[in-house]
Amino acid sequence: MTVTLGAAAVPAQAAPATATRVAACPTGWGSLDKSDFSATAKPVENVRTGRHDCYDRFVVDVPGATAAEIGYFVGYVDELHQDGSGRPIPVGGGAILEVRVNAPAYDPETGTQTYPGRVAQPLPGVNIAGYTTFRDTRYAGSFEGQTQFGLGVRARLPYRVLPLDGHLVVDVAHSW
């Protein structure tokens, strides 16, 4: 007995060219101040940013510091004021997120600057053109072992703070 197996040809259907896949972006992060009072003498050496589907990312590099050593304060402020002097630093955007890392931007033994930022200026090497949430970046200086940054964002959006070995990561959501 011979059995013939056949398959009906079914044309594959592609999604319409105009259809886009929208990523689900649940955060639950909130927008209240976040802080940890740990501190390290390991200095800040670099700052960088990145774009993701649901958030923009701000990273402060503190090589040699463990996640448990990297303390911080991150919160929305009406105006960024430089620690020590109280000098206001203009930051563009609909809201200002202050990022303070409990690590110096200088070598504590020699006083040599380890991060090339200039007070009240945009962060060197950081280009946020085309970002969904970030609008401006400013360096506010390093004073008594704390390094301070201003991050101009589109609005008071939810964010999270992730201390990792060698890095402090701040993710700001694109929307609520």
Side-chain angles (χ1 to χ4, degrees):
M1 174 162 132
T2 306
V3 177
T4 305
L5 297 174
V10 178
Q13 292 183 333
T18 57
T20 57
R21 202 172 98 177
V22 177
C25 296
T27 63
W29 298 340
S31 60
L32 297 178
D33 296 352
K34 295 163 181 54
S35 61
D36 179 310
F37 297 106
S38 303
T40 182
K42 302 278 195 292
V44 170
E45 291 187 8
N46 190 38
V47 175
R48 52 200 165 89
T49 59
R51 295 186 299 172
H52 296 268
D53 288 342
C54 299
Y55 54 87
D56 289 348
R57 175 167 279 181
F58 181 77
V59 180
V60 180
D61 293 327
V62 187
T66 67
E69 294 174 318
I70 300 176
Y72 56 86
F73 167 84
V74 180
Y76 284 105
V77 296
D78 293 330
E79 188 173 43
L80 182 65
H81 291 272
Q82 182 182 14
D83 283 344
S85 72
R87 171 185 169 196
I89 297 175
V91 181
I96 301 168
L97 191 61
E98 179 180 4
V99 178
R100 224 180 301 144
V101 182
N102 297 342
Y106 51 85
D107 182 320
E109 293 181 19
T110 65
T112 305
Q113 186 175 350
T114 58
Y115 176 69
R118 295 178 48 101
V119 172
Q121 298 300 307
L123 304 179
V126 172
N127 180 357
I128 56 171
Y131 277 57
T132 303
T133 298
F134 294 167
R135 297 293 184 259
D136 194 10
T137 63
R138 297 293 159 162
Y139 181 60
S142 192
F143 180 72
E144 294 185 347
Q146 290 188 350
T147 303
Q148 184 183 22
F149 305 94
L151 188 57
V153 297
R154 187 170 42 82
R156 284 185 181 243
L157 294 164
Y159 66 93
R160 68 178 173 183
V161 180
L162 304 168
L164 305 171
D165 288 347
H167 316 282
L168 181 72
V169 175
V170 179
D171 293 332
V172 182
H174 291 167
S175 64
W176 278 98

